[in-house]
Amino acid sequence: MAAKSMFRVYLKEQVGHLAERQHPWVFSGAISRLEGKPEDGDVVALYAHDKTFVAWGLYNSQSQIRIRLYSWCESEHLDNNFWRIRVQEAVDLRRKTLDLSETNAYRVINNEGDNLSGLTVDFYNDFLVLQFTSLALYQQRDIIVEVLKKEIKPRGIYLRTDKGIGESEKLTLADGLYWGEEPENPLKIKESGLNFYISLQTGQKTGFYLDQRDNRRALSKYAKDRSVLDLFCYTGGFSISAATAGAKEVLGVDVSETALKLAEQNVDLNNLQNIVKFEKGDSFQVLTAFAAEGRKFDLIVLDPPKFAKSKGGISSAIKGYISLNDLAIRCLNPSGILLTCSCSGRINLDQFAEIIRLAAVSNRRHVRLLEKRGASPDHPVSLTTPESTYLKCFICHIQ
Protein backbone atom coordinates (compact mmCIF):
# COMPACT_ATOMS: atom_id res chain seq x y z
CA MET A 1 0.00 0.00 0.00
CA ALA A 2 1.23 3.46 -0.85
CA ALA A 3 2.65 5.52 1.98
CA LYS A 4 0.50 8.54 1.16
CA SER A 5 -3.16 8.80 0.20
CA MET A 6 -4.56 10.65 -2.76
CA PHE A 7 -8.02 10.53 -1.18
CA ARG A 8 -9.36 13.22 1.13
CA VAL A 9 -12.50 13.03 3.27
CA TYR A 10 -14.05 16.12 4.86
CA LEU A 11 -16.16 16.25 8.02
CA LYS A 12 -19.36 18.26 8.25
CA GLU A 13 -18.97 21.56 10.09
CA GLN A 14 -21.41 20.59 12.86
CA VAL A 15 -19.33 17.54 13.81
CA GLY A 16 -16.02 19.38 14.01
CA HIS A 17 -15.72 18.44 17.68
CA LEU A 18 -15.13 14.82 16.62
CA ALA A 19 -11.63 15.80 15.50
CA GLU A 20 -10.73 16.94 19.03
CA ARG A 21 -12.00 13.74 20.67
CA GLN A 22 -9.73 11.46 18.60
CA HIS A 23 -12.42 8.80 18.49
CA PRO A 24 -11.35 6.18 15.93
CA TRP A 25 -14.75 5.78 14.26
CA VAL A 26 -16.12 8.14 11.60
CA PHE A 27 -19.72 7.31 10.73
CA SER A 28 -21.15 7.92 7.28
CA GLY A 29 -23.43 10.70 8.53
CA ALA A 30 -20.44 12.80 9.69
CA ILE A 31 -18.94 13.10 6.21
CA SER A 32 -19.67 16.07 3.95
CA ARG A 33 -17.66 15.13 0.85
CA LEU A 34 -14.89 13.05 -0.65
CA GLU A 35 -12.07 14.00 -2.98
CA GLY A 36 -11.33 11.08 -5.27
CA LYS A 37 -12.98 7.66 -5.35
CA PRO A 38 -11.40 5.46 -2.67
CA GLU A 39 -11.99 1.75 -2.82
CA ASP A 40 -12.79 -0.25 0.29
CA GLY A 41 -9.59 -0.65 2.30
CA ASP A 42 -7.83 2.39 0.85
CA VAL A 43 -5.94 4.82 3.04
CA VAL A 44 -7.70 8.18 3.30
CA ALA A 45 -6.78 11.49 4.91
CA LEU A 46 -9.50 12.98 7.10
CA TYR A 47 -9.91 16.76 7.26
CA ALA A 48 -12.16 19.10 9.19
CA HIS A 49 -14.57 21.32 7.24
CA ASP A 50 -11.95 24.11 7.30
CA LYS A 51 -9.38 21.82 5.61
CA THR A 52 -7.40 21.24 8.84
CA PHE A 53 -5.82 17.78 8.89
CA VAL A 54 -7.41 15.41 11.42
CA ALA A 55 -6.13 11.85 10.95
CA TRP A 56 -5.21 8.96 8.68
CA GLY A 57 -7.66 6.09 8.34
CA LEU A 58 -8.91 3.15 6.30
CA TYR A 59 -12.06 3.53 4.21
CA ASN A 60 -15.02 1.17 3.84
CA SER A 61 -18.00 2.31 1.77
CA GLN A 62 -20.00 -0.74 2.90
CA SER A 63 -19.92 0.07 6.62
CA GLN A 64 -21.71 2.63 8.74
CA ILE A 65 -18.28 3.13 10.30
CA ARG A 66 -17.10 4.66 7.03
CA ILE A 67 -13.53 5.32 8.25
CA ARG A 68 -11.50 3.77 11.06
CA LEU A 69 -8.74 6.11 12.20
CA TYR A 70 -5.28 4.95 13.24
CA SER A 71 -2.95 7.98 13.29
CA TRP A 72 -3.48 11.64 14.15
CA CYS A 73 0.04 12.63 13.08
CA GLU A 74 0.12 14.17 9.59
CA SER A 75 3.72 13.10 8.97
CA GLU A 76 2.90 9.46 9.75
CA HIS A 77 1.49 7.22 7.03
CA LEU A 78 -0.31 3.89 7.07
CA ASP A 79 2.28 1.82 5.24
CA ASN A 80 3.58 -1.65 6.13
CA ASN A 81 6.08 -0.24 8.60
CA PHE A 82 3.29 1.55 10.45
CA TRP A 83 1.34 -1.71 10.97
CA ARG A 84 4.53 -3.54 11.88
CA ILE A 85 5.32 -1.03 14.64
CA ARG A 86 1.74 -0.93 15.93
CA VAL A 87 1.58 -4.72 16.32
CA GLN A 88 5.05 -4.79 17.88
CA GLU A 89 3.97 -2.18 20.46
CA ALA A 90 1.03 -4.33 21.50
CA VAL A 91 3.20 -7.44 21.89
CA ASP A 92 5.81 -5.52 23.88
CA LEU A 93 3.18 -4.12 26.25
CA ARG A 94 2.11 -7.65 27.24
CA ARG A 95 5.68 -8.70 27.84
CA LYS A 96 6.16 -5.78 30.19
CA THR A 97 2.86 -5.99 32.10
CA LEU A 98 1.89 -9.67 32.31
CA ASP A 99 3.32 -12.38 34.53
CA LEU A 100 3.51 -15.12 31.93
CA SER A 101 4.58 -17.65 34.55
CA GLU A 102 0.99 -17.56 35.88
CA THR A 103 -0.88 -17.92 32.61
CA ASN A 104 -0.40 -19.11 29.06
CA ALA A 105 -3.60 -17.48 27.83
CA TYR A 106 -3.85 -13.72 27.32
CA ARG A 107 -4.92 -10.98 24.91
CA VAL A 108 -2.21 -9.82 22.52
CA ILE A 109 -4.15 -7.11 20.64
CA ASN A 110 -7.26 -5.46 22.05
CA ASN A 111 -8.90 -3.58 19.22
CA GLU A 112 -9.22 0.17 19.98
CA GLY A 113 -7.29 -0.31 23.22
CA ASP A 114 -4.17 -0.99 21.16
CA ASN A 115 -4.93 1.57 18.43
CA LEU A 116 -5.86 -1.25 16.05
CA SER A 117 -9.59 -0.76 15.67
CA GLY A 118 -11.13 -3.85 14.11
CA LEU A 119 -8.69 -6.50 15.37
CA THR A 120 -8.60 -8.82 18.37
CA VAL A 121 -5.77 -11.33 18.87
CA ASP A 122 -5.64 -13.84 21.74
CA PHE A 123 -2.89 -16.28 22.71
CA TYR A 124 -3.80 -19.73 24.04
CA ASN A 125 -0.97 -22.13 24.89
CA ASP A 126 1.08 -21.68 21.69
CA PHE A 127 -1.88 -20.88 19.43
CA LEU A 128 -3.14 -17.49 18.26
CA VAL A 129 -6.77 -16.67 17.56
CA LEU A 130 -7.47 -13.72 15.26
CA GLN A 131 -10.82 -11.97 15.04
CA PHE A 132 -11.27 -9.19 12.48
CA THR A 133 -14.23 -6.81 12.76
CA SER A 134 -13.05 -4.45 10.02
CA LEU A 135 -12.89 -5.26 6.32
CA ALA A 136 -10.21 -2.62 5.77
CA LEU A 137 -7.95 -3.91 8.53
CA TYR A 138 -8.46 -7.48 7.33
CA GLN A 139 -6.83 -6.39 4.08
CA GLN A 140 -3.69 -5.66 6.15
CA ARG A 141 -3.64 -9.21 7.50
CA ASP A 142 -0.44 -10.31 5.73
CA ILE A 143 1.80 -7.79 7.48
CA ILE A 144 -0.04 -8.27 10.80
CA VAL A 145 0.38 -12.05 10.69
CA GLU A 146 4.01 -11.70 9.61
CA VAL A 147 4.84 -9.74 12.77
CA LEU A 148 2.84 -12.05 15.05
CA LYS A 149 4.57 -15.13 13.67
CA LYS A 150 8.00 -13.55 14.12
CA GLU A 151 7.42 -12.23 17.64
CA ILE A 152 5.29 -14.97 19.21
CA LYS A 153 6.20 -18.03 17.13
CA PRO A 154 2.83 -19.78 17.49
CA ARG A 155 2.23 -23.38 16.46
CA GLY A 156 -0.86 -22.27 14.59
CA ILE A 157 -3.16 -19.34 13.89
CA TYR A 158 -6.94 -19.82 14.02
CA LEU A 159 -9.53 -17.42 12.64
CA ARG A 160 -12.77 -16.70 14.48
CA THR A 161 -15.58 -14.50 13.21
CA ASP A 162 -17.90 -12.16 15.07
CA LYS A 163 -21.64 -12.63 14.54
CA GLY A 164 -23.15 -9.94 12.35
CA ILE A 165 -19.82 -8.58 11.15
CA GLY A 166 -20.33 -9.93 7.64
CA GLU A 167 -23.42 -7.80 7.20
CA SER A 168 -22.09 -4.65 8.89
CA GLU A 169 -18.64 -4.64 7.23
CA LYS A 170 -19.34 -6.76 4.13
CA LEU A 171 -16.55 -8.99 5.36
CA THR A 172 -16.96 -12.61 4.24
CA LEU A 173 -15.00 -14.88 6.56
CA ALA A 174 -15.40 -18.35 7.99
CA ASP A 175 -14.03 -19.84 11.20
CA GLY A 176 -11.08 -22.11 10.63
CA LEU A 177 -7.35 -22.66 10.55
CA TYR A 178 -5.51 -19.73 8.97
CA TRP A 179 -1.94 -20.96 9.27
CA GLY A 180 0.09 -23.76 10.87
CA GLU A 181 -1.19 -26.59 13.06
CA GLU A 182 -4.82 -27.20 13.92
CA PRO A 183 -5.27 -26.56 17.69
CA GLU A 184 -6.32 -29.43 19.90
CA ASN A 185 -10.01 -29.57 20.83
CA PRO A 186 -10.23 -29.17 23.72
CA LEU A 187 -7.02 -27.25 24.37
CA LYS A 188 -5.66 -27.03 27.93
CA ILE A 189 -4.60 -23.67 29.33
CA LYS A 190 -3.44 -22.52 32.77
CA GLU A 191 -4.51 -19.50 34.82
CA SER A 192 -3.53 -18.55 38.37
CA GLY A 193 -2.63 -22.10 39.31
CA LEU A 194 -5.76 -23.58 37.75
CA ASN A 195 -6.21 -25.57 34.55
CA PHE A 196 -9.01 -25.19 32.03
CA TYR A 197 -10.06 -26.92 28.87
CA ILE A 198 -11.24 -24.54 26.16
CA SER A 199 -12.44 -24.89 22.58
CA LEU A 200 -10.96 -22.47 20.07
CA GLN A 201 -13.25 -23.95 17.44
CA THR A 202 -16.64 -23.58 19.14
CA GLY A 203 -16.18 -21.58 22.35
CA GLN A 204 -17.67 -18.15 23.01
CA LYS A 205 -15.65 -15.11 21.90
CA THR A 206 -12.27 -16.61 20.97
CA GLY A 207 -12.61 -19.59 23.31
CA PHE A 208 -12.46 -18.20 26.87
CA TYR A 209 -13.33 -15.02 28.78
CA LEU A 210 -9.78 -13.78 29.24
CA ASP A 211 -11.05 -10.34 30.29
CA GLN A 212 -12.37 -11.82 33.56
CA ARG A 213 -9.03 -13.30 34.67
CA ASP A 214 -8.36 -10.81 37.47
CA ASN A 215 -12.02 -10.77 38.50
CA ARG A 216 -11.94 -14.54 38.95
CA ARG A 217 -8.90 -14.05 41.17
CA ALA A 218 -10.67 -11.25 43.09
CA LEU A 219 -13.64 -13.52 43.76
CA SER A 220 -11.34 -15.88 45.65
CA LYS A 221 -11.04 -13.40 48.52
CA TYR A 222 -14.76 -13.72 49.29
CA ALA A 223 -15.53 -17.38 48.55
CA LYS A 224 -14.18 -19.22 51.61
CA ASP A 225 -16.85 -21.20 53.50
CA ARG A 226 -19.64 -19.70 51.37
CA SER A 227 -22.33 -21.33 49.27
CA VAL A 228 -21.95 -19.99 45.72
CA LEU A 229 -24.32 -19.62 42.78
CA ASP A 230 -22.58 -18.91 39.47
CA LEU A 231 -25.04 -17.81 36.78
CA PHE A 232 -24.23 -17.73 33.06
CA CYS A 233 -21.30 -19.86 34.20
CA TYR A 234 -20.12 -20.87 30.70
CA THR A 235 -17.24 -23.37 31.17
CA GLY A 236 -16.96 -22.81 34.91
CA GLY A 237 -14.27 -20.14 35.31
CA PHE A 238 -15.81 -18.39 38.33
CA SER A 239 -17.18 -21.66 39.76
CA ILE A 240 -13.78 -23.35 39.81
CA SER A 241 -12.04 -20.24 41.17
CA ALA A 242 -14.55 -20.06 44.05
CA ALA A 243 -14.26 -23.76 44.84
CA THR A 244 -10.47 -23.65 44.84
CA ALA A 245 -10.61 -20.71 47.25
CA GLY A 246 -12.56 -22.73 49.82
CA ALA A 247 -16.26 -22.37 48.94
CA LYS A 248 -18.26 -25.06 50.70
CA GLU A 249 -20.50 -25.67 47.67
CA VAL A 250 -20.86 -24.22 44.19
CA LEU A 251 -23.72 -24.47 41.71
CA GLY A 252 -23.09 -23.27 38.15
CA VAL A 253 -25.96 -22.58 35.75
CA ASP A 254 -25.82 -22.09 31.99
CA VAL A 255 -28.21 -22.61 29.09
CA SER A 256 -25.55 -24.15 26.83
CA GLU A 257 -25.17 -27.92 27.09
CA THR A 258 -21.90 -27.72 25.12
CA ALA A 259 -20.43 -25.22 27.59
CA LEU A 260 -21.52 -27.31 30.58
CA LYS A 261 -19.88 -30.46 29.19
CA LEU A 262 -16.60 -28.56 29.06
CA ALA A 263 -17.30 -27.15 32.54
CA GLU A 264 -17.65 -30.70 33.87
CA GLN A 265 -14.30 -31.60 32.34
CA ASN A 266 -12.76 -28.55 34.01
CA VAL A 267 -14.10 -29.64 37.38
CA ASP A 268 -12.51 -33.05 36.89
CA LEU A 269 -9.27 -31.44 35.69
CA ASN A 270 -9.02 -29.50 38.97
CA ASN A 271 -10.32 -32.33 41.24
CA LEU A 272 -13.33 -30.37 42.53
CA GLN A 273 -16.06 -32.96 41.91
CA ASN A 274 -17.23 -32.89 45.55
CA ILE A 275 -17.75 -29.13 45.59
CA VAL A 276 -18.93 -27.98 42.14
CA LYS A 277 -22.15 -29.05 40.42
CA PHE A 278 -23.73 -27.73 37.25
CA GLU A 279 -27.30 -27.36 36.08
CA LYS A 280 -28.59 -26.59 32.61
CA GLY A 281 -31.12 -23.80 32.56
CA ASP A 282 -32.02 -20.23 31.73
CA SER A 283 -30.47 -18.10 34.46
CA PHE A 284 -33.47 -15.76 34.71
CA GLN A 285 -35.85 -18.71 35.09
CA VAL A 286 -33.61 -20.49 37.58
CA LEU A 287 -33.28 -17.36 39.73
CA THR A 288 -37.04 -16.78 39.58
CA ALA A 289 -37.67 -20.34 40.78
CA PHE A 290 -35.07 -20.06 43.57
CA ALA A 291 -36.57 -16.75 44.73
CA ALA A 292 -40.07 -18.27 44.79
CA GLU A 293 -38.97 -21.23 46.87
CA GLY A 294 -36.82 -19.12 49.19
CA ARG A 295 -33.53 -20.77 48.27
CA LYS A 296 -30.57 -18.65 49.39
CA PHE A 297 -26.82 -18.43 48.74
CA ASP A 298 -23.93 -16.62 50.41
CA LEU A 299 -22.32 -15.47 47.16
CA ILE A 300 -23.83 -15.01 43.70
CA VAL A 301 -21.98 -14.36 40.45
CA LEU A 302 -23.77 -12.68 37.53
CA ASP A 303 -21.82 -12.61 34.27
CA PRO A 304 -24.51 -12.33 31.59
CA PRO A 305 -23.99 -11.82 27.85
CA LYS A 306 -24.25 -8.36 26.31
CA PHE A 307 -27.75 -6.95 26.77
CA ALA A 308 -27.34 -3.66 24.82
CA LYS A 309 -26.10 -4.39 21.30
CA SER A 310 -27.13 -1.01 19.87
CA LYS A 311 -27.99 2.49 21.06
CA GLY A 312 -31.67 1.70 20.65
CA GLY A 313 -31.38 -1.25 23.01
CA ILE A 314 -30.07 0.67 26.04
CA SER A 315 -33.44 1.17 27.72
CA SER A 316 -34.49 -2.47 27.53
CA ALA A 317 -30.99 -3.56 28.58
CA ILE A 318 -31.16 -1.43 31.74
CA LYS A 319 -34.53 -3.02 32.61
CA GLY A 320 -33.02 -6.46 32.05
CA TYR A 321 -30.03 -5.74 34.29
CA ILE A 322 -32.29 -4.36 37.04
CA SER A 323 -34.51 -7.45 36.88
CA LEU A 324 -31.55 -9.83 36.95
CA ASN A 325 -29.85 -8.14 39.91
CA ASP A 326 -33.17 -7.79 41.74
CA LEU A 327 -33.70 -11.56 41.52
CA ALA A 328 -30.12 -12.26 42.61
CA ILE A 329 -30.42 -10.04 45.68
CA ARG A 330 -33.63 -11.86 46.66
CA CYS A 331 -31.59 -15.07 46.67
CA LEU A 332 -28.71 -13.70 48.77
CA ASN A 333 -28.40 -14.36 52.47
CA PRO A 334 -27.83 -11.34 54.76
CA SER A 335 -24.21 -10.14 54.47
CA GLY A 336 -24.03 -11.91 51.12
CA ILE A 337 -21.63 -11.05 48.32
CA LEU A 338 -22.82 -10.15 44.82
CA LEU A 339 -20.27 -10.14 42.00
CA THR A 340 -22.20 -8.64 39.12
CA CYS A 341 -21.01 -7.78 35.62
CA SER A 342 -22.05 -6.01 32.46
CA CYS A 343 -20.18 -6.38 29.17
CA SER A 344 -22.44 -3.89 27.38
CA GLY A 345 -20.20 -1.04 26.24
CA ARG A 346 -23.22 1.24 25.88
CA ILE A 347 -23.99 0.96 29.61
CA ASN A 348 -21.55 3.19 31.50
CA LEU A 349 -20.24 2.87 35.05
CA ASP A 350 -22.70 5.37 36.54
CA GLN A 351 -25.63 3.65 34.88
CA PHE A 352 -24.49 0.27 36.14
CA ALA A 353 -24.08 1.59 39.69
CA GLU A 354 -27.62 2.97 39.54
CA ILE A 355 -28.88 -0.41 38.32
CA ILE A 356 -27.43 -2.14 41.40
CA ARG A 357 -28.76 0.57 43.71
CA LEU A 358 -32.29 0.23 42.31
CA ALA A 359 -32.18 -3.54 42.60
CA ALA A 360 -31.09 -3.33 46.24
CA VAL A 361 -33.64 -0.64 47.16
CA SER A 362 -36.48 -2.65 45.61
CA ASN A 363 -35.59 -5.44 48.06
CA ARG A 364 -35.12 -3.05 51.00
CA ARG A 365 -31.52 -4.18 51.27
CA HIS A 366 -28.44 -2.04 51.88
CA VAL A 367 -25.70 -2.37 49.28
CA ARG A 368 -22.06 -1.46 49.77
CA LEU A 369 -19.67 -1.40 46.84
CA LEU A 370 -16.47 -3.20 47.83
CA GLU A 371 -14.67 -3.26 44.50
CA LYS A 372 -15.23 -1.56 41.16
CA ARG A 373 -13.38 -3.57 38.55
CA GLY A 374 -12.97 -3.90 34.79
CA ALA A 375 -11.15 -6.11 32.32
CA SER A 376 -7.71 -7.55 33.06
CA PRO A 377 -4.80 -5.29 32.01
CA ASP A 378 -4.07 -7.20 28.81
CA HIS A 379 -7.36 -5.60 27.66
CA PRO A 380 -6.28 -1.93 27.77
CA VAL A 381 -8.94 0.76 27.44
CA SER A 382 -8.71 3.70 25.06
CA LEU A 383 -9.80 6.85 26.88
CA THR A 384 -10.80 8.38 23.54
CA THR A 385 -13.13 5.42 22.90
CA PRO A 386 -15.67 5.15 25.75
CA GLU A 387 -17.09 1.96 24.20
CA SER A 388 -13.81 0.19 24.96
CA THR A 389 -14.64 0.40 28.68
CA TYR A 390 -17.14 -2.35 28.01
CA LEU A 391 -16.62 -4.65 31.01
CA LYS A 392 -17.85 -3.52 34.41
CA CYS A 393 -17.52 -5.80 37.43
CA PHE A 394 -18.85 -4.72 40.83
CA ILE A 395 -18.27 -6.74 43.99
CA CYS A 396 -20.93 -5.73 46.50
CA HIS A 397 -21.83 -6.53 50.09
CA ILE A 398 -25.58 -6.91 50.45
CA GLN A 399 -26.79 -6.44 54.02
Side-chain angles (χ1 to χ4, degrees), residues 19 55 113 229 244 294 343 362 372:
L229 175 62
T244 305
C343 63
S362 69
K372 185 188 296 184

Short mmCIF file of all heavy atoms in Angstrom, two decimals, residues 19 55 113 229 244 294 343 362 372:
data_model
loop_
_atom_site.label_atom_id
_atom_site.label_comp_id
_atom_site.label_asym_id
_atom_site.label_seq_id
_atom_site.Cartn_x
_atom_site.Cartn_y
_atom_site.Cartn_z
N ALA A 19 -13.07 15.77 15.74
CA ALA A 19 -11.63 15.80 15.50
C ALA A 19 -10.86 15.94 16.81
O ALA A 19 -9.77 15.38 16.98
CB ALA A 19 -11.28 16.95 14.55
N ALA A 55 -6.70 13.18 10.70
CA ALA A 55 -6.13 11.85 10.95
C ALA A 55 -6.04 11.05 9.65
O ALA A 55 -6.64 11.40 8.63
CB ALA A 55 -6.99 11.09 11.96
N GLY A 113 -8.20 -0.47 22.09
CA GLY A 113 -7.29 -0.31 23.22
C GLY A 113 -5.83 -0.35 22.82
O GLY A 113 -4.97 0.15 23.55
N LEU A 229 -23.53 -19.42 43.98
CA LEU A 229 -24.32 -19.62 42.78
C LEU A 229 -23.67 -18.83 41.65
O LEU A 229 -23.54 -17.61 41.74
CB LEU A 229 -25.76 -19.15 42.99
CG LEU A 229 -26.69 -19.19 41.76
CD1 LEU A 229 -26.86 -20.62 41.25
CD2 LEU A 229 -28.05 -18.57 42.08
N THR A 244 -11.88 -23.54 44.48
CA THR A 244 -10.47 -23.65 44.84
C THR A 244 -10.13 -22.77 46.03
O THR A 244 -9.24 -23.09 46.83
CB THR A 244 -9.59 -23.26 43.64
OG1 THR A 244 -9.95 -24.07 42.51
CG2 THR A 244 -8.11 -23.47 43.94
N GLY A 294 -37.58 -19.61 48.05
CA GLY A 294 -36.82 -19.12 49.19
C GLY A 294 -35.42 -19.70 49.31
O GLY A 294 -34.83 -19.68 50.39
N CYS A 343 -21.14 -6.52 30.27
CA CYS A 343 -20.18 -6.38 29.17
C CYS A 343 -20.77 -5.52 28.05
O CYS A 343 -20.27 -5.56 26.92
CB CYS A 343 -19.74 -7.74 28.66
SG CYS A 343 -21.07 -8.73 27.95
N SER A 362 -35.20 -1.96 45.83
CA SER A 362 -36.48 -2.65 45.61
C SER A 362 -36.65 -3.83 46.56
O SER A 362 -37.77 -4.28 46.82
CB SER A 362 -36.58 -3.12 44.16
OG SER A 362 -35.67 -4.16 43.90
N LYS A 372 -14.78 -1.95 42.50
CA LYS A 372 -15.23 -1.56 41.16
C LYS A 372 -14.13 -1.97 40.19
O LYS A 372 -13.05 -1.42 40.20
CB LYS A 372 -15.48 -0.06 41.10
CG LYS A 372 -16.08 0.43 39.78
CD LYS A 372 -16.13 1.94 39.71
CE LYS A 372 -17.05 2.51 40.78
NZ LYS A 372 -17.16 4.00 40.62
#
